[in-house]
Amino acid sequence: MKIVYDKKYLAAMKRRQELDQMIEKFSDDGCLLVEDLFQDYLADYDSCDFERSYAKLAVTFYDELGNELTSMLSKKETQYVVKTITKKLDSMTVDDGGGGFDDEG
């Protein structure tokens, strides 16, 4: 049995892995900023009379630690970045059961 992979699919998977690695290293404060900017960008996306999906244009963000996050301005990649950052931030805010309160009264 021979498995044939589509080159576009493999390229997309590689790009997602690159984004995952950049987002993992990016600081929480940096992620909050990028998430806010990209959510605004996506909210305006559908209300524009012109095409805002520029797959050949990219933006690069740097956090306070010097980590880099580069994203293409395509709608799909922007949505992926927002989804992945939201997932990262949500996992950071999950209560571990301790709650931070004094349990002994």
Side-chain angles (χ1 to χ4, degrees), residues 9-60:
Y9 174 77
L10 291 175
M13 290 302 294
K14 181 179 178 189
R15 181 65 186 144
R16 286 187 195 121
Q17 289 174 345
E18 291 170 352
L19 286 168
D20 290 345
Q21 290 172 357
M22 286 187 281
I23 291 168
E24 180 67 32
K25 292 178 185 176
F26 217 66
S27 72
D28 292 345
D29 289 338
C31 283
L32 283 170
L33 175 67
V34 173
E35 182 184 44
D36 286 345
L37 292 172
F38 276 5
Q39 283 178 339
D40 289 345
Y41 176 80
L42 289 170
D44 291 340
Y45 189 93
D46 293 326
S47 64
C48 288
D49 294 335
F50 59 92
E51 178 62 38
R52 291 191 68 159
S53 183
Y54 301 111
K56 293 184 179 180
L57 294 178
V59 292
T60 301

Side-chain angles (χ1 to χ4, degrees), residues 37-96:
L37 292 172
F38 276 5
Q39 283 178 339
D40 289 345
Y41 176 80
L42 289 170
D44 291 340
Y45 189 93
D46 293 326
S47 64
C48 288
D49 294 335
F50 59 92
E51 178 62 38
R52 291 191 68 159
S53 183
Y54 301 111
K56 293 184 179 180
L57 294 178
V59 292
T60 301
F61 299 95
Y62 294 93
D63 66 8
E64 67 278 11
L65 304 173
N67 296 312
E68 181 180 308
L69 174 56
T70 301
S71 177
M72 304 298 174
L73 288 179
S74 70
K75 186 175 184 179
K76 282 185 178 183
E77 185 157 316
T78 304
Q79 289 171 329
Y80 182 81
V81 169
V82 169
K83 182 181 92 171
T84 306
I85 286 176
T86 301
K87 192 177 186 180
K88 174 185 175 177
L89 294 173
D90 286 349
S91 71
M92 302 291 283
T93 58
V94 172
D95 187 3
D96 63 359

